[in-house]
Amino acid sequence: QMRKFGVEVIPTVWNREVLPDLGPRDFIIVRSPWDYLENYESFVEWVDGLPEERVFNSRAVLKWNLDKSYLRQLEKNGIPLVPTKWVTARDETEVRLAVEFAFPGRAVVIKPLRGAGGAATYRLTPGEYPPVGVYPGRSALIQPFLPEIIRDGEYSLIYFSGKFSHSVVKLPVPGDFRVQESFGGQISLRSPTLSDLEFGEAVLSQLQNHFSEQELPFYARVDFVRVEGSPHLMELELLEPDLYFHHAPEAVDRFVEALRVKLRGVSA
């Protein structure tokens, strides 16, 4: 699609290939470095070496979104967040105590602060604990398991240059709680409600507190679940989100057009 508009695309793997020399009209779009967690320090170094004003999303946004601690900042600014306990356990005893007392008597979900794609994420009933060796010395967050995920699913709003493009709902397969397609999650296009859109805009508006106008994200995905009918943020994906083009092919044109506008603005 981009080539159709005269934009040449050169796919590059961040840790396998050297970036080509950039001309005055060349830019970098960081899209799906899903293996960055396996090479975290190298990835941070790579991001730091990207040209400041010619990478989307911006370096500042990518680094801010590297771990889920950004959720705490959004919650402090009034964004409803799924109830969360933040923990760093030194050993297995502390892991067990954190899981046991985070939300007593309730099933919980534990996930790493640095994580993606449902990796090292576990649903635990009362009396259950994550596998030995996974969480000691590792920062994590613990949340109550929400039956709304099973019943209604997790919702995603996708934006290009701050403008809403499309929305999907993600449902886990029976017997699971993870909505990612790699775990069998069922994803379908949907029409968002007015309250959904208001929530998404409220989340994105908070980024103006953290970034300059030039640094604001080109692409963004707001993931949320409805708790008693009210949207609560799960994650704000700004680093490596699936944008679900295979479920909304027409969104590709919106992506390309938004990119063309952004490139013109940066090149001016």
Side-chain angles (χ1 to χ4, degrees):
Q1 286 293 94
M2 293 171 71
R3 290 189 176 101
K4 186 172 70 175
F5 291 105
V7 178
E8 183 63 25
V9 179
I10 303 175
T12 304
V13 180
W14 74 270
N15 58 352
R16 294 183 198 167
E17 300 158 315
V18 177
L19 287 174
D21 292 333
L22 299 183
R25 296 178 62 81
D26 293 335
F27 300 88
I28 298 169
I29 304 175
V30 179
R31 273 296 300 118
S32 50
W34 286 316
D35 61 348
Y36 78 90
L37 290 168
E38 302 162 18
N39 308 276
Y40 184 84
E41 299 301 331
S42 295
F43 183 72
V44 173
E45 184 178 349
W46 180 80
V47 170
D48 282 336
L50 295 173
E52 180 96 38
E53 296 180 354
R54 289 199 277 170
V55 58
F56 318 129
N57 283 337
S58 66
R59 293 188 324 191
V61 164
L62 296 178
K63 293 180 71 173
W64 186 78
N65 207 227
L66 276 169
D67 68 53
K68 296 178 177 60
S69 59
Y70 69 83
L71 292 169
R72 306 181 79 165
Q73 300 176 42
L74 295 177
E75 184 180 34
K76 287 179 181 178
N77 289 337
I79 298 300
L81 188 68
V82 173
T84 301
K85 300 293 185 181
W86 308 85
V87 299
T88 301
R90 292 171 293 183
D91 53 37
E92 293 295 343
T93 298
E94 290 190 359
V95 171
R96 288 175 168 245
L97 289 172
V99 168
E100 188 172 344
F101 290 103
F103 299 95
R106 296 187 63 176
V108 300
V109 172
I110 184 170
K111 62 181 73 172
L113 203 65
R114 295 177 183 171
T121 298
Y122 302 96
R123 176 177 59 176
L124 308 168
T125 58
E128 278 190 311
Y129 304 99
V132 172
V134 175
Y135 277 101
R138 189 178 194 180
S139 295
L141 53 88
I142 303 174
Q143 299 172 325
F145 171 70
L146 299 174
E148 288 90 343
I149 291 286
I150 304 295
R151 187 187 67 219
D152 304 320
E154 178 181 291
Y155 302 95
S156 290
L157 304 169
I158 293 92
Y159 296 83
F160 305 138
S161 288
K163 294 182 180 179
F164 172 74
S165 171
H166 56 289
S167 175
V168 299
V169 60
K170 302 170 284 188
L171 283 162
V173 296
D176 207 330
F177 69 101
R178 294 164 295 189
V179 300
Q180 291 86 357
E181 287 181 299
S182 57
F183 295 107
Q186 303 298 304
I187 299 177
S188 57
L189 201 62
R190 62 180 286 272
S191 297
T193 66
L194 179 59
S195 65
D196 291 344
L197 294 175
E198 290 174 343
F199 178 75
E201 290 172 6
V203 172
L204 292 185
S205 70
Q206 290 301 319
L207 298 179
Q208 297 174 15
N209 298 327
H210 301 281
F211 306 108
S212 68
E213 187 70 27
Q214 292 74 28
E215 291 173 333
L216 289 174
F218 169 62
Y219 57 82
R221 195 183 84 202
V222 178
D223 293 342
F224 67 95
V225 61
R226 289 197 184 99
V227 180
E228 297 180 356
S230 176
H232 283 60
L233 186 66
M234 295 286 285
E235 293 193 38
L236 173 58
E237 297 279 13
L238 306 174
L239 171 57
E240 24 65 348
D242 189 334
L243 300 176
Y244 305 118
F245 288 132
H246 50 306
H247 294 283
E250 72 285 353
V252 175
D253 288 337
R254 292 193 287 271
F255 179 90
V256 172
E257 180 56 29
L259 180 60
R260 291 176 67 206
V261 171
K262 185 169 185 66
L263 293 181
R264 285 200 301 268
V266 174
S267 301

